[in-house]
Amino acid sequence: MGENKPANKAVLDWVHEVELLTQPENVFWCDGSEAENDYLLGEGCRQGVLLKLNQEKKPGCYLHRSNPNDVARVEQFTLICAPTKEEAGPTNNWAEPATMYGKLHGMLKGAMRGRTMYVVPYIMGPPESPLAKIGFEITDSIYVVLSMRIMTRMGAQASARLGEKPDAEFNRGVHSLLDINPERRFICHFPQDNTIISVGSGYGGNVLLSKKCLALRIASYLAKKQGWLAEHMLILGVESPDGKKHYVAAAFPSACGKTNFAMLIPPPHFAGWKITTVGDDIAWMQIGRDGRLYAVNPENGYFGVVPGTSYKSNANAMRSIERDTLFTNVALTSDGDVWWEGKDGDPPAAAIDWRGRPWTPASKEKAAHPNSRFAVPMRNNPVLDPEVDDPAGVPISALIFGGRRSNTMPLVFQAADWNHGVYVGATMASETTAAATGAVGQVRRDPMAMLPFCGYNIGDYFRHWLKTGPRLTNPPLIFHVNWFRKDAAGKFLWPGFGDNMRVLQWIIDRCAGRGGAGESPIGSVPRPEDLDLAGLEGVSPEMMRALLAVNPDEWARELAGQGIFFESLQPYVPEELLDEHRELAGRLGR
Ligand code: GTP
Ligand code: SPV
Ligand code: MN
């Protein structure tokens, strides 16, 4: 075991270099086999990295507790090391590549002494897809290896696909835990070298280098160069009772509802409607020969937010995580099961919290960390879309942007055309969540939900979007949604989750040339009678009006906020978006 070396000499040479630098006790080449997985799970338990859960209740499930100082992405220590600061742009932290390589190599020197260095080969995307990418992640964390096995198409097939050609393209990822010290934590991207180096963390998006690092930051850079899109979007299929199927892709910021929307279960009134999941976090999209936009999910699993997940809110996620799941930072019950805030039923009388301390319902602190996560193979999803492995991807009828906004943003509106839609995406904002370290609940601009994930200058990213529209002879329509609008007492006005089907149906109707709407300065907004609200509980006509309202005072503030954001990005904002801003101001009478 651990001997499965690839034939490609460029890979062997690079791994050898990293071995000389980090000086591990041994090198373990992963093949992705069942036997290897069993061995690593056993080894993880032996080392105390994993806790085996009650196998009768949760077959194949394990619990990992991360260091309490290491529970989320660290945006302030995430860097784009492009040759110039201008290439990284106004929204990224930048460091000069040679300087950063020097600093990181200093930190990695001897870092794996006495430890095993794992080499993880993986494919992102359906292997036959023209968009598929191959990566290798070197790591000294068993937890990372086991997670990568769930989240990617990991193992010998990746090395085989790379082949022996010396110039075959692959992503080089190096990860070391070091001493899990926030002061020595850096997530560095070298887009021009297709290289990622991550040190000092053992958590999620910081260390599963396939995910945010490769599939978004590096891929967005490649996508710009090669004429496609790498986006922080879920992809779902929606089939109506008459058998017509549409696909939509939706960008919501971290912890703002992508996984839930991707697995939505329609309310009883929508008998015959079926929702299927292609992806829950990332979409790679290219233009098809028919001039439509086609999307693939580069991932193989879901790294989902646990708190709030229940049979009531997301039964498909609950069924998925009944087995083969790696839980991180949830609570442990006395019978070897897991628990979190928002799970169905009563809290356990006693539990061990995410830090490993005794917990009872009387405890002041949460049992599960707000950013606790599950990692589960997508094959466990009962509503996995049958086209998920299609190398060509699925045709996208609508693109949806959305954020967590307690006010201002109506439940849904439609952009007038492509450029207006790009403006809507570019100016979207959301309240911050526990998915990244820092304050929670503050409204910040998060263009296309890509603020932390765009691997190059955001102005060029906007320009790339603007250029993509005219290349699509049959472009998707663009919408904005907000499930999170609140009343004066701070209560959500919209029940969300399954009831989001009502909004999705309107979106699909609009794509099919049906569906009524009222015109407003910000776009087309449905009137209450344009939405199918039959069987909707707890939303009075007055609440419905509040959900759909475009309030002039709120929009005056919103317009100003969007303007301030664009100012902060100058001189990089494309003229087309400044035009859109002026036109919106005009429509709002400002
Ligand atoms: P990342 O994995 O961080 O990218 O998050 P995500 O966008 O996939 O978010 P997810 O679906 O995991 O939801 C995050 C949180 O929002 C969870 O606590 C959900 O329960 C909650 N949530 C999701 N959809 C809705 C909704 O329609 N209404 C309300 N009120 N909450 C929701
Ligand atoms: C996100 O923060 O958007 C996530 C979780 O999907 S992480 O993998 O940690 O980035
Ligand atoms: Mn995400």
Side-chain angles (χ1 to χ4, degrees), residues 525-533 541 544-545 548:
V525 187
R527 296 151 299 191
E529 64 269 27
D530 296 322
L531 296 171
D532 187 344
L533 301 176
M544 207 57 231
R545 274 193 298 278
L548 295 170

Side-chain angles (χ1 to χ4, degrees), residues 165-489:
K165 283 211 199 93
D167 59 346
E169 202 185 292
F170 67 96
N171 179 267
R172 294 160 160 80
V174 180
H175 165 248
S176 178
L177 296 165
L178 305 185
D179 53 352
I180 323 246
N181 179 344
E183 315 235 305
R184 306 198 324 133
R185 184 168 296 158
F186 292 102
I187 324 300
C188 297
H189 305 72
F190 302 85
Q192 283 72 9
D193 305 340
N194 202 357
T195 294
I196 305 156
I197 303 180
S198 164
V199 293
S201 170
Y203 189 83
N206 296 332
V207 299
L208 309 179
L209 301 185
S210 59
K211 195 172 176 60
K212 296 305 164 54
C213 300
L214 171 55
L216 286 180
R217 296 194 192 97
I218 300 275
S220 63
Y221 165 83
L222 295 173
K224 155 81 171 34
K225 271 209 315 200
Q226 300 164 356
W228 51 285
L229 296 169
E231 300 298 328
H232 191 199
M233 289 182 176
L234 68 95
I235 311 160
L236 66 78
V238 47
E239 193 180 324
S240 53
D242 59 8
K244 291 231 167 56
K245 188 153 183 186
H246 287 269
Y247 289 93
V248 308
F252 310 155
S254 300
C256 290
K258 288 183 299 301
T259 301
N260 278 272
F261 194 45
M263 298 183 177
L264 176 157
I265 297 177
H269 171 67
F270 285 77
W273 288 81
K274 270 192 236 129
I275 304 294
T276 46
T277 317
V278 179
D280 84 321
D281 198 48
I282 299 176
W284 285 355
M285 299 186 283
Q286 63 176 345
I287 300 172
R289 261 187 234 119
D290 58 359
R292 299 187 71 185
L293 194 59
Y294 282 79
V296 298
N297 171 12
E299 300 191 281
N300 192 51
Y302 311 132
F303 186 63
V305 175
V306 174
T309 307
S310 66
Y311 282 97
K312 191 161 168 284
S313 65
N314 191 351
N316 287 321
M318 289 301 282
R319 279 187 214 116
S320 305
I321 62 179
E322 279 166 6
R323 57 199 156 86
D324 321 320
T325 302
L326 190 43
F327 291 93
T328 301
N329 293 342
V330 298
L332 177 69
T333 62
S334 52
D335 56 352
D337 203 344
V338 279
W339 191 80
W340 52 82
E341 280 73 15
K343 200 180 181 190
D344 311 80
D346 295 328
I352 307 292
D353 76 3
W354 66 275
R355 289 186 229 214
R357 304 176 309 187
W359 181 94
T360 72
S363 299
K364 279 199 221 54
E365 290 183 72
K366 289 197 175 353
H369 189 275
N371 192 34
S372 53
R373 297 263 167 176
F374 57 75
V376 67
M378 68 176 179
R379 314 277 162 197
N380 277 20
N381 180 359
V383 296
L384 187 66
D385 190 89
E387 306 305 322
V388 70
D389 291 313
D390 188 337
V394 296
I396 299 297
S397 300
L399 294 173
I400 307 174
F401 296 112
R404 200 180 265 276
R405 297 293 297 272
S406 18
N407 50 49
T408 313
M409 286 293 168
L411 182 60
V412 57
F413 68 92
Q414 182 187 343
D417 55 26
W418 183 267
N419 277 13
H420 180 224
V422 174
Y423 176 82
V424 168
T427 54
M428 68 185 250
S430 194
E431 289 153 22
T432 50
T433 66
T437 57
V440 166
Q442 291 182 353
V443 176
R444 73 165 180 183
R445 299 287 147 191
D446 187 348
M448 279 87 170
M450 284 288 278
L451 181 72
F453 307 121
C454 181
Y456 62 102
N457 189 310
I458 199 84
D460 292 333
Y461 172 78
F462 293 158
R463 225 161 261 120
H464 181 47
W465 264 88
L466 290 166
K467 276 194 197 146
T468 301
R471 292 175 56 215
L472 292 159
T473 49
N474 197 351
L477 302 184
I478 303 182
F479 298 82
H480 187 284
V481 300
N482 176 23
W483 315 142
F484 301 94
R485 203 166 187 175
K486 289 179 176 168
D487 64 15

Side-chain angles (χ1 to χ4, degrees), residues 70-220:
D70 184 29
V71 294
R73 285 184 292 101
V74 281
E75 295 180 359
Q76 65 280 31
F77 303 118
T78 299
L79 285 79
I80 301 296
C81 307
T84 64
K85 188 168 169 33
E86 185 156 22
E87 283 162 277
T91 57
N92 281 311
N93 299 307
W94 174 80
E96 198 273 316
T99 312
M100 205 62 211
Y101 275 128
K103 185 166 172 177
L104 292 164
H105 288 169
M107 295 168 85
L108 284 167
K109 202 165 179 194
M112 298 190 190
R113 243 175 240 150
R115 307 172 58 85
T116 297
M117 178 173 115
Y118 299 92
V119 186
V120 182
Y122 64 92
I123 304 176
M124 297 304 278
E128 304 290 340
S129 169
L131 291 179
K133 300 270 173 292
I134 293 171
F136 283 78
E137 177 165 355
I138 295 175
T139 176
D140 54 6
S141 158
I142 287 192
Y143 168 75
V144 168
V145 180
L146 291 165
S147 302
M148 289 293 284
R149 185 174 197 272
I150 295 171
M151 296 303 299
T152 71
R153 292 164 171 91
M154 182 268 242
Q157 55 162 338
S159 308
R161 191 157 283 273
L162 184 69
E164 296 184 30
K165 283 211 199 93
D167 59 346
E169 202 185 292
F170 67 96
N171 179 267
R172 294 160 160 80
V174 180
H175 165 248
S176 178
L177 296 165
L178 305 185
D179 53 352
I180 323 246
N181 179 344
E183 315 235 305
R184 306 198 324 133
R185 184 168 296 158
F186 292 102
I187 324 300
C188 297
H189 305 72
F190 302 85
Q192 283 72 9
D193 305 340
N194 202 357
T195 294
I196 305 156
I197 303 180
S198 164
V199 293
S201 170
Y203 189 83
N206 296 332
V207 299
L208 309 179
L209 301 185
S210 59
K211 195 172 176 60
K212 296 305 164 54
C213 300
L214 171 55
L216 286 180
R217 296 194 192 97
I218 300 275
S220 63

